[in-house]
Amino acid sequence: MDLCSLNDVRALLTRHGFRFSKAKGQNFLIAPWVPQRIARDAGVTKECGVLEIGPGVGPLTKELCAAAGKVVAVEIDETLRPVLAETMADAENLELIFGDFLKMDAAALAQEKFGGLRPMACANLPYYITSPILTKLLESRAFQSVTVMVQKEVALRICAKPATADYGAFSVFCQYYTEPQVLFDVPPDCFVPQPKVTSAVVQLKTRAAPPCEIADETIFFRVVRAAFAQRRKTLLNSVSSAYGEKNKQEWERVLLDCGIAPTVRGETLSISKFAAIANRLAAEKRS
Ligand code: SAM
């Protein structure tokens, strides 16, 4: 069976009485070059243990199993259990887990399933939960790389540089943990049903060490969120109202001490500038 043939997939799903769920973000790949290229560009080898989130009927799973030492695929939709049992019957290095990935411990999963292998994550993500899934994967610090298909708009945000319209708190978050890169675009006609937007595959390579020294990550991410809370306002206005804890004059002092003009917008700051503010606040807290 060709898992990327629209006719074969339709016949398979009809036979199993499967109905697409929009709520579960089910847009299945029907263009063979896409899963092939994801598995290839992810750099999957027999030394790798790959976590896939949302195998669907398994077009990417099949490519990953051919290239990897082991694949663990987590699927929320129980109605895909008999479908995957049929399509993945020959995949000896595959373990299927049915459940909600967002409720799982990603680090424990990687440790338990991929001993001796290089852990990585690969997926055509359900778009309605792209950010929570990526947040979970990156915060776990358990994967050497994460190669995922997301909405193109999200891929651009993940990779955006300071002082651009796409740059935001999620860009800083992803770039703090990883070095992200857009690999290629995927048009809507590569899926069934077709999404309304273009997709892109983005690769996030986990950094060996953070890009700059940060005394307290909680303070760092709180500063980042506050700086972007009101994008049209100056950095001073945004942090003084969204972070709070200090009056405007005190915030002005903090920014000036860090060599940052209070009148700039938060979106112009690099990660190291956010780090300077956060480290200044952390030092103040310690003293
Ligand atoms: N990998 C398949 C493909 O490329 O054709 C399917 C991709 S489809 C965009 C997303 C898949 O994620 C669906 O199979 C959906 O049921 C599954 N999914 C949605 N939410 C999930 C969750 N919280 N945990 C695990 N899987 C989920």
Side-chain angles (χ1 to χ4, degrees), residues 24-29 54-56 59 75-76 100-101 124 126 128-129:
K24 292 191 180 81
Q26 291 176 337
N27 301 95
F28 293 172
L29 277 167
E75 173 57 61
I76 199 169
D100 182 350
F101 175 68
N124 167 15
Y128 75 109
I129 44 168

Side-chain angles (χ1 to χ4, degrees), residues 19-39:
R19 292 175 76 96
F20 283 97
S21 160
K22 212 173 170 180
K24 292 191 180 81
Q26 291 176 337
N27 301 95
F28 293 172
L29 277 167
I30 46 153
W33 68 269
V34 182
Q36 283 163 11
R37 193 156 166 204
I38 295 175

